[in-house]
Amino acid sequence: MSGHLAIIGLGPGPADQITPQAADALARADWLLGYGPYLDRLRLAPNQRIIPTDNREEAARAAHALRLVAEEGRQVAMVTGGDPGVFAMAAAVLEQMEQGPSAWRMVEMQIIPGITAMLAVAARVGAPLGHDFCAISLSDNLKPWSVIENRLRAAAMGGFVMAFYNPRSRARPHQLGQALALLRTLLPRTVPVIFGRAIGRPDENVIFTTLADADPEQVDMSTCVLIGTAETRVLERPGLEPLVYAPRSIAGPV
Amino acid sequence: MSGHLAIIGLGPGPADQITPQAADALARADWLLGYGPYLDRLRLAPNQRIIPTDNREEAARAAHALRLVAEEGRQVAMVTGGDPGVFAMAAAVLEQMEQGPSAWRMVEMQIIPGITAMLAVAARVGAPLGHDFCAISLSDNLKPWSVIENRLRAAAMGGFVMAFYNPRSRARPHQLGQALALLRTLLPRTVPVIFGRAIGRPDENVIFTTLADADPEQVDMSTCVLIGTAETRVLERPGLEPLVYAPRSIAGPV
């Protein structure tokens, strides 16, 4: 039997946001690789083997999966949170396919999309991504900080709503603060900012703030940060949480 | 019984990409509003009433849903393709909540995310959104074309991969051609371009091309267009479709 690799997005966390397509692909796999906390969410059959890994070992994990498929003919699932193509494992696997033995690029592979964090946070608070937006990883592990700053400037200039992934980690405590400081020189300080963490999970935490008041100390690696624009609306509701949205119309040039 | 509004994303089209959360919300609704082709995808119970609408009547459809909930106490589902917060109905509903009678903003409402088109297209062809990217609607119905051009310039300057929604319609046949012409002055003509239509459906169509060769005639309103960057990799595979991805590393400033 020839091997197969499924790179599977589990979505934001709750089981009812895992698509049937993803659930079927998980059920067909004999070996499951992924960051431990993602694998812990799954109910597995007794014959399914799991290989938990550290979240930082992406290239090694990708190569491991490709070896299992190409050399041992295994049915392998590479499990990621959110969507595998958004700051997750799909690109790491494709890099290994390009750089590894030529047999690796011929493996049978399917990438199964999932609901990525910014969509879950947006749905939770309203429709802040309702107009043009961008997604930026604030991690400078694999790109220089100057590239990130350039992208923040471009996004502000273009009037894009921004979603920040990997905003802050123990090893990178200062990046979000630096990004916010830069944006405060480019955008009105009243721009709405949302910190959305673990949406739909028991440890969910949502913070509504502004560019002026946003405090990086309230953010960790599992938070998705949304930065609005001058057009973003905040709809206050007595006794209820506000709703935040991007209007569909723009009257003039940004 | 008090009314409830669920704004539900069905994802790209195939039934196995509808989340259990969305399916449950659909099952609980007594009235379903949405663009006819989205409603046609659903299997409904005999007691469920559907109100199909024209895809351009977003504000009227949103107001209709809010009246049914606030004034008649109905259990209403507003159904959209993809994700309701990405160039879809959620922002239109929130606009009506802000502009309509004050009771409207107090309705019980839940927005249920779905897999948006760019994620489905990306997963189908590799991981072209594997690094920083933006999503832009090319429709100038509700924003001036100058705003769109400004965003295209900003996205190109920032080195963002771009996903175009609403790239072309019968009423707006020229916008995509104009956008591509502008990008040809800003980006290498070898930049990979993907046209992804109806991913996972029987009429699926995927075209791999380049900025130089991209032909707007091959695109319609149901197509999501992805524009790579100078860094985007195309992994050729003998006898198989290529795989397109954004490398995770960037060595220097864009």
Side-chain angles (χ1 to χ4, degrees):
Chain A
M1 188 176 179
S2 75
H4 181 272
L5 176 60
I7 310 176
I8 302 170
L10 296 183
D16 69 356
Q17 290 182 325
I18 298 176
T19 65
Q21 184 189 32
D24 290 348
L26 286 167
R28 277 196 302 272
D30 298 322
W31 292 60
L32 292 96
L33 284 82
Y35 179 45
Y38 299 144
L39 295 173
D40 291 344
R41 292 188 204 160
L42 305 174
R43 260 187 251 166
L44 300 175
N47 65 318
Q48 292 187 301
R49 294 191 56 167
I50 66 166
I51 308 176
T53 57
D54 187 289
N55 206 19
R56 288 161 301 181
E57 300 164 355
E58 293 191 340
R61 194 190 321 161
H64 190 170
L66 287 163
R67 268 195 305 274
L68 286 170
V69 177
E71 292 160 27
E72 300 182 26
R74 307 288 183 188
Q75 309 298 305
V76 176
M78 170 77 74
V79 178
T80 77
D83 180 89
V86 176
F87 309 118
M89 283 303 300
V93 170
L94 291 165
E95 275 176 10
Q96 292 300 313
M97 286 175 81
E98 183 163 18
Q99 294 162 15
S102 61
W104 286 10
R105 68 173 66 181
M106 302 303 288
V107 303
E108 229 183 276
M109 185 189 60
Q110 187 183 16
I111 300 173
I112 295 175
I115 292 167
T116 183
M118 66 181 166
L119 301 185
V121 176
R124 173 67 178 70
V125 302
L129 305 178
H131 220 293
D132 304 327
F133 62 93
C134 63
I136 302 176
S137 169
L138 290 193
S139 169
D140 55 358
N141 283 344
L142 296 169
K143 62 185 169 187
W145 181 251
S146 61
V147 168
I148 298 173
E149 281 194 336
N150 186 38
R151 290 184 177 165
L152 295 171
R153 282 182 210 281
M157 195 193 84
F160 289 97
V161 176
M162 301 178 214
F164 294 160
Y165 284 72
N166 307 318
R168 193 161 186 264
S169 71
R170 242 167 297 175
R172 299 179 298 97
H174 303 302
Q175 281 73 352
L176 177 60
Q178 288 173 32
L180 292 170
L182 174 60
L183 292 179
R184 284 183 191 118
T185 69
L186 302 169
L187 295 172
R189 294 167 67 90
T190 53
V191 156
V193 170
I194 294 148
F195 299 154
R197 187 183 180 285
I199 301 301
R201 303 209 294 268
D203 52 340
E204 173 180 297
N205 191 25
V206 177
I207 294 171
F208 298 83
T209 181
T210 62
L211 190 51
D213 294 333
D215 175 6
E217 294 298 322
Q218 296 179 309
V219 169
D220 67 11
M221 203 58 186
S222 304
T223 307
C224 184
V225 175
L226 302 185
I227 312 279
T229 69
E231 283 85 28
T232 301
R233 304 290 305 165
V234 178
L235 184 52
E236 300 290 350
R237 299 184 300 166
L240 295 174
E241 268 187 3
L243 290 165
V244 181
Y245 75 96
R248 297 174 307 140
S249 302
I250 295 181
V254 288
Chain B
M1 187 176 183
S2 74
H4 182 272
L5 176 60
I7 311 177
I8 303 170
L10 296 184
D16 68 357
Q17 290 182 325
I18 298 175
T19 66
Q21 186 189 30
D24 289 349
L26 286 167
R28 277 196 302 272
D30 298 321
W31 291 60
L32 293 96
L33 284 82
Y35 179 44
Y38 299 144
L39 295 174
D40 292 344
R41 293 187 202 160
L42 306 174
R43 259 187 250 167
L44 300 175
N47 65 318
Q48 292 187 301
R49 293 189 56 165
I50 66 166
I51 306 177
T53 57
D54 187 289
N55 207 18
R56 290 161 299 181
E57 300 163 355
E58 292 189 341
R61 195 190 320 162
H64 190 171
L66 287 163
R67 268 196 305 274
L68 286 170
V69 177
E71 292 160 27
E72 301 182 22
R74 308 287 184 188
Q75 309 298 304
V76 176
M78 170 75 76
V79 178
T80 78
D83 180 88
V86 178
F87 309 118
M89 284 303 301
V93 170
L94 292 165
E95 275 176 10
Q96 292 301 313
M97 287 175 82
E98 183 162 17
Q99 294 162 13
S102 63
W104 286 10
R105 67 174 66 183
M106 300 304 287
V107 303
E108 230 185 274
M109 185 189 59
Q110 188 183 16
I111 301 173
I112 295 176
I115 292 167
T116 183
M118 65 182 167
L119 301 184
V121 175
R124 173 65 179 70
V125 302
L129 306 177
H131 220 293
D132 304 328
F133 62 93
C134 63
I136 302 175
S137 169
L138 291 193
S139 170
D140 55 357
N141 284 343
L142 296 169
K143 63 185 167 184
W145 181 250
S146 61
V147 169
I148 298 172
E149 281 194 337
N150 186 38
R151 289 183 178 165
L152 294 171
R153 283 183 210 281
M157 196 194 83
F160 289 98
V161 176
M162 301 177 214
F164 294 160
Y165 285 71
N166 307 320
R168 193 162 186 264
S169 71
R170 243 168 296 174
R172 300 180 298 95
H174 303 303
Q175 280 74 352
L176 177 59
Q178 288 172 33
L180 292 170
L182 173 61
L183 292 178
R184 285 184 191 118
T185 69
L186 302 168
L187 296 172
R189 295 169 65 89
T190 52
V191 156
V193 170
I194 294 148
F195 299 155
R197 187 183 180 286
I199 301 301
R201 302 210 294 270
D203 52 340
E204 173 181 297
N205 190 26
V206 177
I207 294 171
F208 298 82
T209 181
T210 62
L211 190 52
D213 294 332
D215 175 6
E217 295 297 322
Q218 296 180 311
V219 169
D220 67 11
M221 203 58 187
S222 305
T223 308
C224 185
V225 174
L226 303 184
I227 311 279
T229 69
E231 284 85 27
T232 301
R233 304 288 306 163
V234 178
L235 184 52
E236 300 290 350
R237 300 185 299 165
L240 294 173
E241 267 186 3
L243 290 165
V244 181
Y245 74 96
R248 297 174 307 140
S249 302
I250 294 181
V254 288

